[in-house]
Amino acid sequence: MNSSPRAIHHLNCGTMCPRGARLLAGEGGLIEPTRLVCHCLLIEGADGLVLIDTGFGNGDVHTPRRLGTLFRAAVRPQLILGETAHSQIIARGFQAGDVRHIVTTHLDLDHSGGLPDFPDAEVHLLGAELSAAMKPSLRERARYIGAHWAHNPRWVEHEAGGDEWFGFESVRILPGSDAEILMIPLPGHTRGHTGVAVREGGRWLLHCGDAYFRQSEVQTPPSCPPGLVLFEALTMIDGGLRKRNLERLRELAGRHSEEVELVCSHDPATLTSPPGRG
Ligand SMILES: [Zn+2]
């Protein structure tokens, strides 16, 4: 069986323009907006499409207020219909029903908005993330939006404990598919946050979700603009776990750059020019 999918497309399914370019991106004016993306992957397999994260969805574009006043004021999502995963998949000549599986790194509002646009897809995630979203603590409440799963998705919960993958725990999902896809649990940002590794030719592509926000954080020596450090601190649920996982990702990036390419959700640099792909 071929273990590589036919194609992996890198999509931006949501542009966000928070103010504070100097503090968030390390350059530009103090109140100048900077640009963040929602980096999603669309995988063409022999038996259908697999979507890794969904960004914002059509419902968010039509009803922005459901994302909450604070989030919209702080992050300034642009909510462009043509950017939703649904629009981009249709533009490529597919139908929504062709998306058989969605794998979510976590269920934060900027990663799960497209779920209602693919109601027939199985939605794969770690059990801990589903528990957090269904029974959020007071602190977690603003990050999860019930409208994103009001259609009662076909959840498929996974638990860590498969084969070791470069020293990380892994969970093989879709074992019957030609696309080799692993969940690599990376908790810290949320309770059940996970990376998703996809075999691409002889290498692996690891989508790290929000385990870090900027590619310079996994370079050696690491760096991160102060505003982003603060933003990450405000949005993580377990600082110790997050820090430890970030260190492990940095180590992975340093030692195995020939075999593994890392991308994260919100850094526009790796969407347009991912390391290793020019
Ligand atoms: Zn995010």
Side-chain angles (χ1 to χ4, degrees):
M1 187 171 56
N2 183 1
S3 62
S4 285
R6 288 173 184 165
I8 301 178
H9 306 282
H10 294 252
L11 312 180
N12 171 21
C13 299
T15 299
M16 299 176 279
C17 296
R19 290 195 186 278
R22 190 179 308 169
L23 293 173
L24 291 168
E27 55 188 22
L30 274 175
I31 58 162
E32 193 181 315
T34 188
R35 179 173 173 267
L36 303 175
V37 298
C38 293
H39 190 156
C40 302
L41 303 175
L42 177 66
I43 301 167
E44 283 185 56
D47 52 355
L49 302 176
V50 182
L51 190 58
I52 312 293
D53 269 0
T54 70
F56 297 108
N58 292 351
D60 299 324
V61 175
H62 296 310
T63 317
R65 67 174 182 279
R66 73 189 197 183
L67 298 173
T69 310
L70 182 64
F71 176 80
R72 281 188 294 142
V75 180
R76 303 174 75 228
Q78 301 302 291
L79 302 173
I80 300 159
L81 192 59
E83 283 189 347
T84 67
H86 182 268
S87 296
Q88 295 190 64
I89 284 165
I90 300 296
R92 285 171 190 271
F94 298 109
Q95 297 179 345
D98 295 332
V99 177
R100 304 268 310 277
H101 303 276
I102 297 173
V103 189
T104 57
T105 60
H106 61 304
L107 289 175
D108 270 357
L109 73 176
D110 52 327
H111 297 255
S112 59
L115 292 180
D117 298 331
F118 308 99
D120 299 327
E122 291 192 340
V123 181
H124 300 259
L125 74 178
L126 289 180
E129 188 63 13
L130 189 57
S131 308
M134 295 304 123
K135 290 186 182 165
S137 66
L138 203 57
R139 211 184 133 204
E140 291 169 318
R141 233 164 253 178
R143 69 191 313 155
Y144 298 122
I145 302 292
H148 289 171
W149 36 85
H151 61 292
N152 202 12
R154 299 168 63 198
W155 302 115
V156 183
E157 293 178 63
H158 296 272
E159 304 301 331
D163 293 335
E164 187 185 284
W165 183 86
F166 294 99
F168 289 79
E169 284 186 305
S170 75
V171 192
R172 172 95 198 248
I173 55 173
L174 316 182
S177 160
D178 61 334
E180 202 172 335
I181 303 177
L182 309 176
M183 278 182 172
I184 309 296
L186 299 170
H189 177 69
T190 61
R191 285 194 242 166
H193 182 277
T194 182
V196 183
V198 186
R199 175 82 96 169
E200 190 178 25
R203 304 179 75 214
W204 288 94
L205 174 66
L206 177 60
H207 191 306
C208 298
D210 285 359
Y212 63 93
F213 278 51
R214 200 174 161 89
Q215 207 62 17
S216 58
E217 293 182 73
V218 290
Q219 287 163 358
T220 305
S223 66
C224 187
L228 215 47
V229 172
L230 179 66
F231 185 76
E232 290 180 9
L234 289 172
T235 55
M236 65 195 171
I237 206 71
D238 187 323
L241 266 179
R242 184 189 167 281
K243 186 165 175 278
R244 172 78 194 110
N245 280 324
L246 179 55
E247 282 165 4
R248 295 167 75 210
L249 289 172
R250 196 176 298 136
E251 225 174 270
L252 177 71
R255 283 195 194 161
H256 297 284
S257 60
E258 297 296 314
E259 298 142 282
V260 187
E261 173 189 334
L262 280 70
V263 299
C264 66
S265 292
H266 299 309
D267 188 341
T270 52
L271 183 74
T272 50
S273 181
R277 269 179 292 133

